[in-house]
Amino acid sequence: MAEEQSEETKTDARQFMADLVSSPPQSEDFSGGDGIDMAAWKTTYAAASNHDTSSSTAVMEKFWSLYDPGATSIWTMVYDEADSNENLDETIAITTEFMKQTESIKDHCFGVMHTLESLETKGLWFFNGPDPEKLFGANEDSSWFTWSQLGPEANDYVKKAVAEFLTPTDGKLKGEMIKDTQVLG
């Protein structure tokens, strides 16, 4: 179990991470633009919530029809303090609170976060823009996660990774049982 840190240390760590990742260099391929209509995407995703094979295929086709690497970006997140999680309810509360704190920017992003059987929390986010900077500004708890960009090219690896998060097979993410899913919507 990790040693409990002082609030000052936690604040310093959050600021360090915000400074480190909030202004990544902009991709030369990023042309800007309005991005996508997140409300329409969220409606599509919610309508296919049963995630059978046909609806999963339709969701992924719709996702890739909307994805524009010149105006949007895809990011994964992993909770850095998973080894400190002691029970499922508390771990789910972390993701629930994270989603509540992110509501103010819901028109600019879409996110799905899974709590796994091991009490790890992993998520996938889709942003209008080249990076999660608006999320970092709106939700200081974002500094407790490691963020990694997928793409920007939608190659087979990226498509598979996105599908694993958006349309998990047999209730599992990368072979591990999903115990809870939270969606920003």
Side-chain angles (χ1 to χ4, degrees):
M1 180 189 253
E3 177 182 323
E4 183 65 28
Q5 301 295 318
S6 70
E7 195 57 39
E8 180 181 357
T9 300
K10 290 178 182 178
T11 300
D12 290 346
R14 286 183 186 116
Q15 185 60 51
F16 171 79
M17 288 304 296
D19 292 343
L20 181 66
V21 295
S22 66
S23 299
Q26 192 157 332
S27 167
E28 294 173 14
D29 297 331
F30 196 83
S31 58
D34 295 333
I36 68 155
D37 179 351
M38 287 294 173
W41 162 246
K42 291 171 186 177
T43 299
T44 299
Y45 186 78
S49 63
N50 63 355
H51 297 303
D52 61 30
T53 303
S54 63
S55 65
S56 293
T57 300
V59 163
M60 295 315 304
E61 285 175 1
K62 180 65 173 177
F63 181 86
W64 293 115
S65 74
L66 296 172
Y67 177 65
D68 174 2
T72 55
S73 60
I74 306 167
W75 294 75
T76 60
M77 60 173 331
V78 177
Y79 185 55
D80 293 334
E81 300 296 322
D83 58 342
S84 298
N85 295 341
E86 295 183 2
N87 70 57
L88 183 60
D89 291 336
E90 289 176 4
T91 305
I92 291 170
I94 291 169
T95 60
T96 302
E97 185 60 27
F98 187 92
M99 290 301 198
K100 284 180 186 173
Q101 291 182 25
T102 308
E103 276 290 316
S104 66
I105 62 164
K106 68 181 180 182
D107 294 339
H108 302 284
C109 63
F110 167 82
V112 59
M113 293 174 68
H114 300 294
T115 301
L116 306 177
E117 190 170 44
S118 64
L119 302 183
E120 288 185 280
T121 301
K122 297 181 179 183
L124 180 103
W125 290 79
F126 184 40
F127 294 97
N128 282 332
D131 56 54
E133 189 169 347
K134 283 186 180 181
L135 175 68
F136 296 158
N139 186 343
E140 69 179 24
D141 287 345
S142 61
S143 65
W144 291 104
F145 294 83
T146 297
W147 295 83
S148 302
Q149 185 173 14
L150 292 177
E153 180 187 341
N155 59 34
D156 289 342
Y157 168 78
V158 170
K159 288 181 177 183
K160 180 181 179 201
V162 170
E164 287 176 332
F165 279 95
L166 296 183
T167 58
T169 304
D170 299 326
K172 295 180 179 179
L173 177 65
K174 301 180 190 250
E176 189 169 351
M177 189 59 89
I178 297 169
K179 299 305 256 181
D180 183 70
T181 299
Q182 301 283 325
V183 178
L184 181 66

